[in-house]
Amino acid sequence: MTRILDARRLTPVTKLFRLDAPLIAASARPGQFVMLRVREGGERIPITIADYDRAAGTITIVVQEAGATTRRVCALEPGDSLLDVAGPLGSEIDLPPGGHICGVGGGFGAAALLCLMRERSAFGDRTTTILGARTKELVILADELARVSRSVEVCTDDGSDGFHGFVTQRLAQLIAGGGPGRPDAVVAIGPMAMMRAVADTTRPHGIKTLVSMDPLMVDGTGMCGGCRVNVGGQPRFACVDGPCFDAHEVDFDTAMRRNKAYVREEKIASDLVGCVSGRSQGDASQAL
Amino acid sequence: MPVRRFDKTPMPAQEAQARAHNFFEVNGGYTAARAAFEAERCLRCQHPVCVDGCPVHIPIRDFIHAVAAGNMTGAARILRSANPLPAICGRVCPQESQCEAECSMGGRFDPVAIGHLERYVADWERTQALAIEPAITKTAKIGIIGAGPSGLVCAGELARLGYPVTIYEALHAPGGVLRYGIPEFRLPKAVLDWEIDILRAMGVEIVCNVIIGKTLTLDDLTNRLGYAAIFIGTGAGLPQFLGIPGENLNGVYSANEFLTRINLMRAYDFPNADTPVRVGKRVAVIGAGNTAMDAVRTALRMGADEAMIVYRRSDEEMSARVEEYHHAIEEGVAFHWLTGPLEVIDDGSGWAAGLKCQRMELGEPDASGRRRPVPIPDSEFVLPVDNVVLAIGTTPNPLLTRTTAGLATTAKGCLLADEATGLTSKTMVFAGGDAVTGAATVILAAGAGKRAAHAIDAALSAQPH
């Protein structure tokens, strides 16, 4: 059992949790994730580690209500416990130090940039975070990310906050020389469609780009291959070889199709829990 | 002398038509009368060669003699002194190629049903109130990585020898392949839980959700946490894929994923359990080992009208247990021998719709000693299927070796370990089971765990205090 120390609503559909997990906090690295299970008979879902505090022995995760399991998690409060939390899993984000790193966070995926940008900034890298959401109320952790990045660029689809438009449009401006400088590397974490759009934006410029893939996972330790992703024509296990891969090598079409394999079952399970938020992500996975 | 009966006393089993659609255990177990009847068939050899065939060297003659004499307490004690998992091994061991292959009754007559009797004794024990107390007398802590058969047996032996033992398990429940791989209809989870509860009662601590190599490293265990010796029993859980076109279509599973969803995550009970699985009307399982038999029989129970084995060699080369093969035939599994898969066909929406295959014939023996399958030209055909399950083997998971310096492995990723002791290339680090041998059997893993436990005891006993 893993105790929830703090819980905070970030938006109507996302919630931040600080967990008492000293072993995971001690060895976590940016880009890694945990598998969690909320009840007996519950499924195992992957959730990215947003941040960790080694001294306090805590990790931070952000969960978006997208189906049965995430709804159950988001109903928990401080003092409650998660049945199983295992990690850290996956490989850390592998980028050479130095230069200008641009983190692009879409929706609740932005949370996963916290520990990456904090470590890179502390290391002396130049850091820019681009945050995207449909509208102002859905932008998460802008203040926290501002503290750990040299600059933060908020983008909203409806123009209610910051730049009016998609993260990719703002990213293209940066690459063209409008704003805090052309990035040497981009790390995009968010919905699959957004990550693919980021890959398409940076590809013509040859900018090294990593995306954090969120395939369906079962064990998360490399023993089933359910999370396999085609990268450069080769099958790779996202839970062990990833979840971050070279964006320009990823077969997004296959990945998006595989993530919809259980849409019918997810609806059944979700309906059983009852509609909390009245909103479904439409994407099979709840992770990342 | 009673009259010697030539035939094995049959094990009652669920009728094939009924059991093919439920997850209840197929074999019903001996009654007391059947057990006594079968125990009487044992010749009580002066030099019981059956024991040589048993990887954990159970005193087979003695426990069977105790059953024949009606001394069940004695039988259980003898059995458990040699094997910490008798209720499991009695069910899943390939006795026909181990103890029963050596039985003096064999050859002319049926060998004594040693496995059925082992199971009978262990199941009798399950009905008794066991008074087990931890008997930890030693101070040197032992760390075990992996709660599968080798780790559980190693832990049980070490606890019996008085050591405080902690098992670290990556998944949320212990058992390894006994939990996620072998289905309920062959090994009820209640039996597994009971065996593990006995280990806990003996003082074995089991810590789940800790992935050694990620959460902690092996060196953390020896350096920071002070374990005097380590046993690695991490198995061979990395599934192999064929690399054929269409392998990433929806509806194509590794057997590990298919069985884990159903056994560990209880997808058969969806939506009461949250994990889904999609089993269509026609399921092809590629491979012919025990995992393939488990997967194909599971597919039937999940509602498939047609469940078939597709194998590029012939039934002669099949590695599955004879009993499981017969059970599969009785339940209506179809077998496509000498059939090599070429491609999974797309239904147009990203789901599997068929398996394109070619006919094979057997050529000269290959490196494995088995005749090599050779494609027959222009023999391609398509099997219409909704699911393809790949049960073509597993290799050791590299998660631990990637993060442990100085742990020598073979080219195939198996740990290098001394055959007699299990000692690896690292001081006081031992290993056994599938992590060393590649995918093998439960009982071979158990044997390796037991040998390593005694080697650990010998090494620690030899150290100056």
Side-chain angles (χ1 to χ4, degrees):
Chain A
M1 299 280 267
T2 298
R3 263 174 68 85
I4 295 169
L5 301 174
D6 294 321
R8 174 158 65 98
R9 279 268 164 204
L10 299 179
T11 75
V13 289
T14 52
K15 201 164 172 180
L16 175 145
F17 298 92
R18 207 161 56 88
L19 309 177
D20 179 27
L23 286 182
I24 301 173
S27 50
R29 301 287 304 147
Q32 291 190 302
F33 64 94
V34 292
M35 296 298 298
L36 65 83
R37 203 166 69 110
V38 71
R39 61 166 193 148
E40 274 306 324
E43 63 183 335
R44 298 167 63 95
I45 62 164
I47 300 281
T48 302
I49 298 169
D51 209 352
Y52 40 82
D53 184 335
R54 301 205 202 286
T58 62
I59 63 167
T60 302
I61 59 171
V62 172
V63 179
Q64 171 159 302
E65 293 182 35
T69 299
T70 47
R71 279 180 189 161
R72 286 197 168 94
V73 174
C74 285
L76 299 177
E77 296 297 339
D80 292 340
S81 289
L82 290 159
L83 186 56
D84 298 293
V85 179
L89 290 163
S91 302
E92 68 174 289
I93 288 174
D94 182 23
L95 275 180
H100 177 200
I101 290 190
C102 179
V104 182
F108 81 115
L113 293 168
L114 271 173
C115 57
L116 174 70
M117 299 317 254
R118 188 166 43 70
E119 292 217 350
R120 290 295 171 153
S121 299
F123 192 83
D125 286 351
R126 184 166 169 191
T127 49
T128 300
T129 300
I130 302 179
L131 279 177
R134 275 191 298 120
T135 186
K136 186 180 178 179
E137 285 72 35
L138 298 176
V139 176
I140 65 163
L141 301 170
D143 294 343
E144 287 84 349
L145 282 160
R147 279 199 288 276
V148 298
S149 317
R150 191 186 288 190
S151 57
V152 164
E153 303 274 328
V154 172
C155 309
T156 49
D157 299 0
D158 63 0
S160 53
D161 192 11
F163 175 81
H164 185 172
F166 297 137
V167 288
T168 43
Q169 291 171 307
R170 185 67 189 119
L171 178 63
Q173 288 181 347
L174 261 55
I175 293 170
R182 176 194 163 101
D184 298 308
V186 172
V187 178
I189 307 179
M192 202 87 84
M194 173 222 118
M195 293 195 289
R196 172 154 69 180
V198 169
D200 291 341
T201 305
T202 58
R203 185 180 288 111
H205 303 282
I207 296 171
K208 171 86 173 169
T209 304
L210 298 180
V211 284
S212 184
M213 299 301 285
D214 60 342
L216 303 181
M217 289 189 189
V218 184
D219 62 288
T221 63
M223 59 167 259
C224 87
C227 67
R228 58 197 187 274
V229 174
N230 251 329
V231 182
Q234 296 297 315
R236 308 286 298 276
F237 289 6
C239 71
V240 174
D241 304 319
C244 286
F245 293 108
D246 185 330
H248 302 149
E249 299 278 314
V250 167
D251 173 357
F252 283 101
D253 286 340
T254 305
M256 289 165 97
R257 184 215 341 116
R258 286 180 60 81
N259 265 13
K260 294 197 175 88
Y262 297 104
V263 167
R264 196 171 73 203
E265 288 82 359
E266 282 158 9
K267 172 96 170 52
I268 294 168
S270 196
D271 288 348
L272 276 180
V273 179
C275 191
V276 176
S277 64
R279 176 173 177 272
S280 170
Q281 187 180 286
D283 187 325
S285 178
Q286 300 88 8
L288 308 171
Chain B
M1 280 292 285
V3 178
R4 296 284 166 210
R5 283 168 291 272
F6 301 153
D7 300 337
K8 227 180 217 188
T9 310
M11 170 82 87
Q14 270 198 77
E15 197 263 321
Q17 289 302 311
R19 73 177 190 238
H21 305 289
N22 70 49
F23 276 88
F24 298 120
E25 191 172 15
V26 168
N27 286 332
Y30 276 164
T31 57
R34 283 187 193 233
F37 204 68
E38 182 63 18
E40 276 297 340
R41 292 183 64 231
C42 176
L43 298 172
R44 291 174 208 164
C45 303
Q46 195 172 3
H47 301 288
V49 284
C50 50
V51 178
D52 300 337
C54 173
V56 294
H57 304 293
I58 292 171
I60 293 167
R61 177 196 62 193
D62 300 345
F63 101 77
I64 291 183
H65 189 181
V67 173
N71 174 11
M72 290 305 292
T73 312
R77 188 175 42 77
I78 295 166
L79 199 48
R80 196 160 284 282
S81 72
N83 181 7
L85 306 174
I88 293 165
C89 293
R91 285 172 163 83
V92 304
C93 272
Q95 289 97 2
E96 69 270 14
S97 59
Q98 299 194 327
C99 53
E100 293 178 17
E102 304 290 331
C103 176
S104 307
M105 283 282 281
R108 287 186 65 190
F109 312 123
D110 282 353
V112 173
I114 299 166
H116 290 354
L117 288 168
E118 178 182 24
R119 175 195 156 132
Y120 172 72
V121 173
D123 284 356
W124 171 84
E125 210 182 2
R126 285 177 65 211
T127 65
Q128 307 297 303
L130 290 181
I132 295 167
E133 297 283 331
I136 308 299
T137 55
K138 299 190 164 77
T139 51
K141 297 194 298 175
I142 320 292
I144 293 184
I145 307 175
S150 71
L152 292 173
V153 168
C154 188
E157 279 296 298
L158 287 165
R160 222 163 49 81
L161 294 167
Y163 291 94
V165 181
T166 306
I167 305 180
Y168 291 97
E169 165 60 38
L171 291 174
H172 59 260
V177 75
L178 305 171
R179 176 82 56 186
Y180 70 75
I182 301 178
E184 182 79 13
F185 58 83
R186 277 216 295 140
L187 175 63
K189 296 297 167 285
V191 173
L192 175 61
D193 289 339
W194 175 76
E195 295 273 35
I196 290 170
D197 284 346
I198 290 182
L199 293 176
R200 286 203 174 99
M202 291 167 70
V204 173
E205 186 189 9
I206 302 177
V207 182
C208 289
N209 295 320
V210 172
I211 306 101
I212 304 298
K214 290 286 181 188
T215 317
L216 292 167
T217 64
L218 192 150
D219 292 330
D220 285 337
L221 297 184
T222 48
N223 300 340
R224 208 152 55 74
L225 296 172
Y227 287 99
I230 302 290
F231 175 78
I232 303 172
T234 47
L238 186 74
Q240 294 185 305
F241 287 85
L242 282 168
I244 60 175
E247 210 163 35
N248 288 330
L249 289 171
N250 295 352
V252 181
Y253 296 98
S254 74
N256 269 14
E257 182 184 356
F258 187 70
L259 292 170
T260 298
R261 281 182 181 271
I262 295 165
N263 296 331
L264 174 70
M265 304 311 297
R266 301 190 232 148
Y268 59 85
D269 194 25
F270 181 87
N272 294 318
D274 297 331
T275 302
V277 70
R278 195 72 78 76
V279 181
K281 289 294 158 205
R282 292 173 304 276
V283 179
V285 176
I286 299 173
N290 286 317
T291 307
M293 296 305 149
D294 284 344
V296 79
R297 297 173 67 199
T298 297
L300 278 179
R301 286 159 173 81
M302 292 297 294
D305 293 336
E306 285 175 56
M308 61 198 98
I309 289 281
V310 174
Y311 187 47
R312 63 198 181 114
R313 303 179 196 257
S314 74
D315 55 349
E316 291 287 309
E317 289 80 23
M318 169 182 64
S319 62
R321 277 188 72 193
V322 173
E323 183 183 26
E324 306 314 323
Y325 173 51
H326 288 310
H327 279 159
I329 292 175
E330 289 165 12
E331 290 164 13
V333 170
F335 289 84
H336 296 274
W337 304 115
L338 293 166
T339 304
L342 290 173
E343 181 183 354
V344 186
I345 312 282
D346 193 331
D347 74 344
S349 70
W351 282 83
L355 183 64
K356 187 199 258 185
C357 302
Q358 64 185 343
R359 307 258 183 231
M360 315 292 280
E361 60 190 352
L362 291 177
E364 293 302 306
D366 63 12
S368 75
R370 299 178 297 180
R371 294 179 65 193
R372 183 194 303 273
V374 180
I376 298 174
D378 303 320
S379 63
E380 292 170 15
F381 65 102
V382 174
L383 288 169
V385 296
D386 306 303
N387 290 100
V388 176
V389 179
L390 300 158
I392 52 169
T394 55
T395 57
N397 191 322
L399 220 133
L400 179 72
T401 47
R402 273 186 196 173
T403 55
T404 310
L407 201 52
T409 56
T410 68
K412 285 183 171 172
C414 297
L415 290 169
L416 280 173
D418 181 83
E419 206 165 309
T421 63
L423 184 64
T424 67
S425 55
K426 272 175 93 83
T427 312
M428 290 309 284
V429 176
F430 299 75
D434 289 3
V436 172
T437 58
T441 61
V442 168
I443 190 62
L444 287 174
K450 186 170 171 177
R451 278 197 304 280
H454 290 281
I456 289 169
D457 179 46
L460 291 173
S461 303
Q463 281 178 0
H465 291 284

mmCIF file of all heavy atoms in Angstrom, chain A residues 214-237:
data_model
loop_
_atom_site.group_PDB
_atom_site.id
_atom_site.type_symbol
_atom_site.label_atom_id
_atom_site.label_comp_id
_atom_site.label_asym_id
_atom_site.label_seq_id
_atom_site.Cartn_x
_atom_site.Cartn_y
_atom_site.Cartn_z
ATOM 1 N N ASP A 214 2.718 6.410 -24.996
ATOM 2 C CA ASP A 214 1.815 5.917 -23.948
ATOM 3 C C ASP A 214 0.960 4.753 -24.439
ATOM 4 O O ASP A 214 -0.265 4.823 -24.448
ATOM 5 C CB ASP A 214 0.928 7.045 -23.432
ATOM 6 C CG ASP A 214 0.057 7.652 -24.526
ATOM 7 O OD1 ASP A 214 0.384 7.447 -25.710
ATOM 8 O OD2 ASP A 214 -0.946 8.298 -24.191
ATOM 9 N N PRO A 215 1.603 3.665 -24.862
ATOM 10 C CA PRO A 215 0.829 2.509 -25.298
ATOM 11 C C PRO A 215 0.157 1.831 -24.110
ATOM 12 O O PRO A 215 0.479 2.128 -22.961
ATOM 13 C CB PRO A 215 1.892 1.589 -25.898
ATOM 14 C CG PRO A 215 3.127 1.928 -25.145
ATOM 15 C CD PRO A 215 3.043 3.399 -24.858
ATOM 16 N N LEU A 216 -0.776 0.937 -24.391
ATOM 17 C CA LEU A 216 -1.382 0.129 -23.334
ATOM 18 C C LEU A 216 -0.293 -0.740 -22.722
ATOM 19 O O LEU A 216 0.538 -1.294 -23.428
ATOM 20 C CB LEU A 216 -2.476 -0.768 -23.911
ATOM 21 C CG LEU A 216 -3.609 -0.060 -24.648
ATOM 22 C CD1 LEU A 216 -4.623 -1.078 -25.142
ATOM 23 C CD2 LEU A 216 -4.279 0.957 -23.749
ATOM 24 N N MET A 217 -0.302 -0.858 -21.403
ATOM 25 C CA MET A 217 0.678 -1.707 -20.719
ATOM 26 C C MET A 217 -0.049 -2.655 -19.777
ATOM 27 O O MET A 217 -1.149 -2.347 -19.303
ATOM 28 C CB MET A 217 1.659 -0.853 -19.914
ATOM 29 C CG MET A 217 2.629 -0.058 -20.779
ATOM 30 S SD MET A 217 3.909 0.700 -19.759
ATOM 31 C CE MET A 217 4.691 1.758 -20.989
ATOM 32 N N VAL A 218 0.568 -3.793 -19.512
ATOM 33 C CA VAL A 218 0.023 -4.719 -18.529
ATOM 34 C C VAL A 218 0.976 -4.816 -17.336
ATOM 35 O O VAL A 218 0.673 -4.360 -16.245
ATOM 36 C CB VAL A 218 -0.253 -6.110 -19.126
ATOM 37 C CG1 VAL A 218 -0.909 -7.016 -18.078
ATOM 38 C CG2 VAL A 218 -1.157 -6.006 -20.345
ATOM 39 N N ASP A 219 2.159 -5.397 -17.561
ATOM 40 C CA ASP A 219 3.081 -5.550 -16.430
ATOM 41 C C ASP A 219 4.010 -4.347 -16.286
ATOM 42 O O ASP A 219 4.357 -3.962 -15.190
ATOM 43 C CB ASP A 219 3.883 -6.833 -16.572
ATOM 44 C CG ASP A 219 4.731 -6.815 -17.826
ATOM 45 O OD1 ASP A 219 4.149 -6.934 -18.920
ATOM 46 O OD2 ASP A 219 5.954 -6.648 -17.728
ATOM 47 N N GLY A 220 4.451 -3.783 -17.411
ATOM 48 C CA GLY A 220 5.347 -2.626 -17.341
ATOM 49 C C GLY A 220 6.798 -2.986 -17.091
ATOM 50 O O GLY A 220 7.623 -2.112 -16.846
ATOM 51 N N THR A 221 7.133 -4.278 -17.133
ATOM 52 C CA THR A 221 8.506 -4.702 -16.836
ATOM 53 C C THR A 221 9.146 -5.465 -17.991
ATOM 54 O O THR A 221 10.198 -6.067 -17.816
ATOM 55 C CB THR A 221 8.551 -5.597 -15.577
ATOM 56 O OG1 THR A 221 7.790 -6.787 -15.831
ATOM 57 C CG2 THR A 221 7.969 -4.890 -14.374
ATOM 58 N N GLY A 222 8.486 -5.492 -19.146
ATOM 59 C CA GLY A 222 9.107 -6.131 -20.314
ATOM 60 C C GLY A 222 8.750 -7.584 -20.510
ATOM 61 O O GLY A 222 9.401 -8.278 -21.289
ATOM 62 N N MET A 223 7.732 -8.083 -19.829
ATOM 63 C CA MET A 223 7.452 -9.512 -19.959
ATOM 64 C C MET A 223 6.271 -9.852 -20.865
ATOM 65 O O MET A 223 5.984 -11.031 -21.063
ATOM 66 C CB MET A 223 7.273 -10.171 -18.597
ATOM 67 C CG MET A 223 6.159 -9.591 -17.768
ATOM 68 S SD MET A 223 5.779 -10.639 -16.368
ATOM 69 C CE MET A 223 4.319 -11.432 -17.003
ATOM 70 N N CYS A 224 5.609 -8.857 -21.446
ATOM 71 C CA CYS A 224 4.465 -9.237 -22.276
ATOM 72 C C CYS A 224 4.494 -8.648 -23.687
ATOM 73 O O CYS A 224 3.940 -9.226 -24.612
ATOM 74 C CB CYS A 224 3.144 -8.931 -21.580
ATOM 75 S SG CYS A 224 2.507 -7.276 -21.811
ATOM 76 N N GLY A 225 5.125 -7.519 -23.867
ATOM 77 C CA GLY A 225 5.200 -6.939 -25.211
ATOM 78 C C GLY A 225 3.904 -6.283 -25.664
ATOM 79 O O GLY A 225 3.783 -5.892 -26.825
ATOM 80 N N GLY A 226 2.931 -6.139 -24.763
ATOM 81 C CA GLY A 226 1.690 -5.461 -25.120
ATOM 82 C C GLY A 226 1.938 -4.012 -25.523
ATOM 83 O O GLY A 226 1.176 -3.435 -26.286
ATOM 84 N N CYS A 227 3.025 -3.442 -25.013
ATOM 85 C CA CYS A 227 3.312 -2.022 -25.239
ATOM 86 C C CYS A 227 4.237 -1.807 -26.430
ATOM 87 O O CYS A 227 4.813 -0.739 -26.557
ATOM 88 C CB CYS A 227 3.944 -1.421 -23.990
ATOM 89 S SG CYS A 227 5.590 -2.095 -23.649
ATOM 90 N N ARG A 228 4.368 -2.822 -27.300
ATOM 91 C CA ARG A 228 5.374 -2.663 -28.354
ATOM 92 C C ARG A 228 5.014 -1.535 -29.319
ATOM 93 O O ARG A 228 3.864 -1.364 -29.700
ATOM 94 C CB ARG A 228 5.627 -3.983 -29.083
ATOM 95 C CG ARG A 228 4.432 -4.628 -29.739
ATOM 96 C CD ARG A 228 4.754 -6.098 -30.035
ATOM 97 N NE ARG A 228 3.711 -6.735 -30.824
ATOM 98 C CZ ARG A 228 2.611 -7.292 -30.315
ATOM 99 N NH1 ARG A 228 2.397 -7.270 -29.010
ATOM 100 N NH2 ARG A 228 1.716 -7.859 -31.121
ATOM 101 N N VAL A 229 6.045 -0.791 -29.677
ATOM 102 C CA VAL A 229 5.930 0.369 -30.553
ATOM 103 C C VAL A 229 6.927 0.175 -31.682
ATOM 104 O O VAL A 229 8.043 -0.277 -31.445
ATOM 105 C CB VAL A 229 6.272 1.666 -29.772
ATOM 106 C CG1 VAL A 229 6.289 2.866 -30.701
ATOM 107 C CG2 VAL A 229 5.290 1.892 -28.635
ATOM 108 N N ASN A 230 6.519 0.496 -32.893
ATOM 109 C CA ASN A 230 7.432 0.424 -34.023
ATOM 110 C C ASN A 230 8.299 1.673 -34.057
ATOM 111 O O ASN A 230 7.792 2.772 -34.220
ATOM 112 C CB ASN A 230 6.630 0.346 -35.325
ATOM 113 C CG ASN A 230 6.734 -1.012 -35.943
ATOM 114 O OD1 ASN A 230 7.759 -1.693 -35.808
ATOM 115 N ND2 ASN A 230 5.691 -1.422 -36.636
ATOM 116 N N VAL A 231 9.592 1.505 -33.894
ATOM 117 C CA VAL A 231 10.516 2.642 -33.931
ATOM 118 C C VAL A 231 11.595 2.333 -34.958
ATOM 119 O O VAL A 231 12.329 1.355 -34.801
ATOM 120 C CB VAL A 231 11.156 2.902 -32.549
ATOM 121 C CG1 VAL A 231 12.064 4.128 -32.614
ATOM 122 C CG2 VAL A 231 10.098 3.081 -31.481
ATOM 123 N N GLY A 232 11.650 3.130 -36.003
ATOM 124 C CA GLY A 232 12.627 2.882 -37.052
ATOM 125 C C GLY A 232 12.450 1.517 -37.689
ATOM 126 O O GLY A 232 13.411 0.865 -38.078
ATOM 127 N N GLY A 233 11.191 1.063 -37.753
ATOM 128 C CA GLY A 233 10.898 -0.232 -38.362
ATOM 129 C C GLY A 233 11.137 -1.419 -37.443
ATOM 130 O O GLY A 233 10.903 -2.561 -37.818
ATOM 131 N N GLN A 234 11.602 -1.157 -36.224
ATOM 132 C CA GLN A 234 11.872 -2.239 -35.275
ATOM 133 C C GLN A 234 10.848 -2.227 -34.137
ATOM 134 O O GLN A 234 10.507 -1.147 -33.647
ATOM 135 C CB GLN A 234 13.266 -2.068 -34.654
ATOM 136 C CG GLN A 234 14.407 -2.181 -35.640
ATOM 137 C CD GLN A 234 14.482 -3.554 -36.267
ATOM 138 O OE1 GLN A 234 14.363 -4.563 -35.574
ATOM 139 N NE2 GLN A 234 14.631 -3.602 -37.591
ATOM 140 N N PRO A 235 10.377 -3.404 -33.699
ATOM 141 C CA PRO A 235 9.491 -3.418 -32.531
ATOM 142 C C PRO A 235 10.285 -3.165 -31.259
ATOM 143 O O PRO A 235 11.306 -3.798 -31.018
ATOM 144 C CB PRO A 235 8.938 -4.849 -32.537
ATOM 145 C CG PRO A 235 9.954 -5.667 -33.264
ATOM 146 C CD PRO A 235 10.651 -4.755 -34.225
ATOM 147 N N ARG A 236 9.853 -2.175 -30.485
ATOM 148 C CA ARG A 236 10.514 -1.867 -29.209
ATOM 149 C C ARG A 236 9.456 -1.901 -28.116
ATOM 150 O O ARG A 236 8.308 -1.546 -28.343
ATOM 151 C CB ARG A 236 11.144 -0.469 -29.260
ATOM 152 C CG ARG A 236 12.056 -0.221 -30.465
ATOM 153 C CD ARG A 236 13.382 -0.929 -30.352
ATOM 154 N NE ARG A 236 14.129 -0.447 -29.206
ATOM 155 C CZ ARG A 236 14.895 0.654 -29.216
ATOM 156 N NH1 ARG A 236 14.986 1.374 -30.302
ATOM 157 N NH2 ARG A 236 15.557 1.014 -28.140
ATOM 158 N N PHE A 237 9.853 -2.341 -26.915
ATOM 159 C CA PHE A 237 8.939 -2.357 -25.780
ATOM 160 C C PHE A 237 9.021 -0.994 -25.087
ATOM 161 O O PHE A 237 10.053 -0.643 -24.534
ATOM 162 C CB PHE A 237 9.311 -3.456 -24.789
ATOM 163 C CG PHE A 237 9.050 -4.858 -25.272
ATOM 164 C CD1 PHE A 237 8.634 -5.109 -26.569
ATOM 165 C CD2 PHE A 237 9.196 -5.939 -24.405
ATOM 166 C CE1 PHE A 237 8.391 -6.401 -27.005
ATOM 167 C CE2 PHE A 237 8.952 -7.236 -24.839
ATOM 168 C CZ PHE A 237 8.555 -7.470 -26.136
#
